[in-house]
Coordinates of all heavy atoms in Angstrom, one line a residue:
P27 N -19.4 21.2 -16.8 CA -18.9 20.8 -18.1 C -17.5 21.1 -18.0 O -17.0 22.1 -17.5 CB -19.7 21.5 -19.0 CG -21.0 21.9 -18.4 CD -20.6 22.0 -16.9
T38 N -17.8 27.8 -21.9 CA -18.7 26.6 -21.7 C -20.0 26.7 -22.5 O -21.0 27.1 -22.1 CB -19.0 26.3 -20.2 OG1 -17.9 26.5 -19.4 CG2 -19.7 25.0 -20.0
P39 N -19.8 26.4 -23.8 CA -21.0 26.4 -24.6 C -21.9 25.3 -24.5 O -21.4 24.2 -24.0 CB -20.4 26.6 -26.2 CG -19.1 25.7 -26.0 CD -18.6 26.0 -24.6
Y40 N -23.2 25.4 -24.9 CA -24.1 24.4 -24.8 C -25.2 24.7 -25.7 O -25.6 25.7 -26.1 CB -24.7 24.2 -23.3 CG -25.7 25.4 -22.9 CD1 -27.0 25.3 -23.3 CD2 -25.2 26.4 -22.3 CE1 -27.9 26.2 -22.9 CE2 -26.0 27.5 -22.0 CZ -27.4 27.3 -22.2 OH -28.2 28.4 -21.8
F41 N -25.9 23.5 -26.0 CA -27.2 23.6 -26.8 C -28.2 22.6 -26.3 O -27.8 21.5 -25.9 CB -27.0 23.2 -28.4 CG -28.3 23.1 -29.2 CD1 -28.8 24.2 -29.5 CD2 -28.8 21.9 -29.4 CE1 -30.0 24.2 -30.3 CE2 -30.0 21.7 -30.2 CZ -30.7 22.9 -30.6
E42 N -29.5 23.1 -26.0 CA -30.6 22.2 -25.4 C -31.8 22.3 -26.4 O -32.0 23.3 -27.0 CB -30.9 22.8 -24.0 CG -29.7 22.7 -23.1 CD -30.3 23.1 -21.7 OE1 -31.5 23.7 -21.6 OE2 -29.5 23.0 -20.7
Q43 N -32.4 21.2 -26.6 CA -33.6 21.0 -27.2 C -34.6 20.2 -26.4 O -34.2 19.2 -25.9 CB -33.3 20.1 -28.5 CG -34.6 20.0 -29.3 CD -35.0 21.3 -30.0 OE1 -34.3 22.1 -30.4 NE2 -36.4 21.6 -29.8
S44 N -35.8 20.8 -26.3 CA -36.8 20.1 -25.4 C -38.2 20.3 -26.0 O -38.2 21.1 -27.0 CB -36.8 20.7 -23.9 OG -37.1 22.0 -24.0
A45 N -39.1 19.5 -25.6 CA -40.5 19.5 -26.2 C -41.4 19.3 -25.0 O -41.2 18.8 -23.9 CB -40.6 18.3 -27.2
L63 N -45.3 22.2 -28.1 CA -44.2 23.1 -28.3 C -42.8 22.5 -28.2 O -42.7 21.4 -27.6 CB -44.3 24.2 -27.3 CG -43.8 23.9 -25.9 CD1 -43.1 25.1 -25.3 CD2 -44.9 23.5 -25.0
S64 N -41.9 23.1 -28.8 CA -40.5 22.7 -28.7 C -39.7 23.9 -28.4 O -40.0 25.2 -28.8 CB -40.0 22.2 -30.2 OG -39.9 23.3 -31.0
V65 N -38.7 23.8 -27.7 CA -37.8 25.0 -27.1 C -36.4 24.6 -27.6 O -35.8 23.6 -27.1 CB -38.0 25.1 -25.6 CG1 -37.0 26.2 -25.1 CG2 -39.4 25.3 -25.2
S66 N -35.8 25.6 -28.4 CA -34.3 25.3 -28.7 C -33.6 26.5 -28.1 O -34.0 27.7 -28.2 CB -34.3 25.4 -30.2 OG -35.1 24.5 -30.9
E67 N -32.6 26.1 -27.4 CA -31.8 27.2 -26.7 C -30.1 26.9 -27.0 O -29.8 25.8 -26.8 CB -32.0 27.0 -25.2 CG -31.3 28.0 -24.4 CD -31.7 28.2 -22.8 OE1 -33.0 28.5 -22.7 OE2 -30.9 27.9 -22.0
L68 N -29.5 28.0 -27.2 CA -28.1 28.0 -27.4 C -27.4 29.0 -26.4 O -27.9 30.1 -26.4 CB -27.7 28.5 -28.9 CG -26.2 28.5 -29.3 CD1 -25.6 27.1 -29.2 CD2 -26.1 29.1 -30.6
G69 N -26.4 28.7 -25.8 CA -25.8 29.4 -24.8 C -24.3 29.2 -24.6 O -23.7 28.2 -25.1
V70 N -23.8 30.1 -23.8 CA -22.4 29.9 -23.5 C -22.0 30.8 -22.0 O -22.7 31.7 -21.8 CB -21.4 30.6 -24.6 CG1 -21.7 32.1 -24.6 CG2 -20.0 30.4 -24.3
A85 N -24.5 34.0 -21.5 CA -25.5 34.5 -22.4 C -26.3 33.3 -23.1 O -25.8 32.1 -23.2 CB -24.8 35.4 -23.5
K86 N -27.5 33.6 -23.5 CA -28.3 32.5 -24.1 C -29.4 33.2 -25.0 O -29.7 34.2 -24.8 CB -29.0 31.7 -23.1 CG -30.1 32.2 -22.3 CD -30.7 31.3 -21.4 CE -31.7 32.1 -20.4 NZ -32.3 31.2 -19.4
I87 N -29.5 32.5 -26.1 CA -30.7 32.9 -27.0 C -31.6 31.6 -27.2 O -31.0 30.5 -27.3 CB -30.2 33.4 -28.4 CG1 -29.3 32.5 -28.9 CG2 -29.6 34.8 -28.1 CD1 -28.9 32.9 -30.3
G88 N -32.8 31.8 -27.6 CA -33.7 30.5 -27.6 C -34.9 30.9 -28.4 O -35.2 32.1 -28.8
Y89 N -35.7 29.9 -28.7 CA -36.9 30.1 -29.5 C -38.0 29.0 -29.1 O -37.7 27.9 -28.9 CB -36.6 30.0 -31.1 CG -37.8 30.3 -31.9 CD1 -38.1 31.8 -32.1 CD2 -38.8 29.4 -32.4 CE1 -39.1 32.0 -33.0 CE2 -39.8 29.8 -33.2 CZ -39.9 31.2 -33.5 OH -41.1 31.5 -34.2
N90 N -39.2 29.6 -28.7 CA -40.3 28.8 -28.3 C -41.3 28.7 -29.6 O -41.7 29.7 -30.0 CB -41.1 29.5 -27.2 CG -40.3 29.5 -26.0 OD1 -39.6 28.6 -25.6 ND2 -40.3 30.7 -25.2
K91 N -41.4 27.4 -30.0 CA -42.2 27.2 -31.3 C -43.4 26.5 -30.8 O -43.3 25.3 -30.2 CB -41.5 26.4 -32.4 CG -42.2 26.1 -33.5 CD -41.5 25.4 -34.6 CE -42.3 25.3 -35.8 NZ -42.9 26.4 -36.4
Y102 N -36.4 34.5 -27.4 CA -36.0 35.1 -26.2 C -34.6 35.1 -26.0 O -33.8 34.3 -26.8 CB -36.7 34.3 -25.0 CG -36.2 32.9 -24.9 CD1 -35.0 32.6 -24.0 CD2 -36.7 31.8 -25.5 CE1 -34.7 31.3 -23.9 CE2 -36.4 30.5 -25.5 CZ -35.4 30.3 -24.5 OH -34.9 29.0 -24.5

Side-chain angles (χ1 to χ4, degrees):
T38 312
Y40 71 89
F41 175 76
E42 291 184 356
Q43 180 67 49
S44 59
L63 76 143
S64 70
V65 181
S66 305
E67 184 173 296
L68 178 67
V70 63
K86 65 180 180 181
I87 56 174
Y89 191 79
N90 296 320
K91 180 176 179 59
Y102 64 90

